[in-house]
Amino acid sequence: ADASDLFSGESTAVRALVNELKSNPNFTDGMGEAMRVFSASSRPGRSEIKPEITATAERGGVRIDGSKNYAETVNLYMRRKGEFAWGQIAIKRKRLPFEDQAPLLKPGVPEEREYMARGVVGDDEVGADSDIVGAVFAG
């Protein structure tokens, strides 16, 4: 490869490699800084981190998938529709998907569940809560 292309950041092959590295679930901010693959515009500050999640009801549980969006890990929370308080269902999760296999409150009665994620850097929850997503779980 032409060195000037590599160092200018215009090489599509290098950009593709960096994007692949960043999408790896084991990739952390520390790795990005060590490899110097963050630019001022690509790496959000701690207060700007906002995980993105989806929830899909499946047989035996609800599958939570998504992106940590530059957080090192995520904490996941669940509540049943109509409840006020969130219950933590996963602590410092490095990878998604996560399977919520909590049983139904009333066996045989489907329930609507809501999920939310918070980014974690070190031991601190940072940034904004994810959007709340829901799924109807039938058991």
Side-chain angles (χ1 to χ4, degrees):
D2 183 356
S4 64
D5 285 345
L6 285 174
F7 295 116
S8 72
E10 298 301 319
S11 172
T12 56
V14 171
R15 188 172 305 172
L17 174 63
V18 169
N19 288 338
E20 185 176 335
L21 289 170
K22 289 169 140 181
S23 68
N24 186 307
N26 294 318
F27 187 84
T28 65
D29 286 348
M31 292 172 165
E33 289 192 23
M35 292 186 282
R36 297 183 180 176
V37 296
F38 290 129
S39 68
S41 63
S42 69
R43 182 177 178 209
R46 290 169 63 112
S47 64
E48 298 168 326
I49 291 173
K50 181 179 178 181
E52 297 174 4
I53 61 170
T54 60
T56 308
E58 299 179 344
R59 184 177 200 148
V62 177
R63 181 184 177 97
I64 311 301
D65 209 345
S67 167
K68 299 180 293 183
N69 192 20
Y70 293 100
E72 292 174 0
T73 58
V74 291
N75 290 338
L76 296 173
Y77 296 85
M78 186 271 285
R79 68 181 178 193
R80 288 167 179 86
K81 184 82 170 185
E83 291 180 351
F84 178 75
W86 290 97
Q88 195 169 36
I89 59 172
I91 300 170
K92 295 174 93 174
R93 183 84 183 169
K94 288 187 177 198
R95 293 187 181 147
L96 295 173
F98 173 79
E99 298 290 330
D100 175 15
Q101 298 178 342
L104 295 167
L105 278 180
K106 297 178 184 174
V109 178
E111 59 191 28
E112 191 170 348
R113 296 179 177 184
E114 298 177 321
Y115 296 90
M116 182 259 301
R118 292 186 180 134
V120 178
V121 174
D123 290 329
D124 301 322
E125 288 187 341
V126 298
D129 296 347
S130 71
D131 292 337
I132 297 170
V133 298
V136 176
F137 178 55

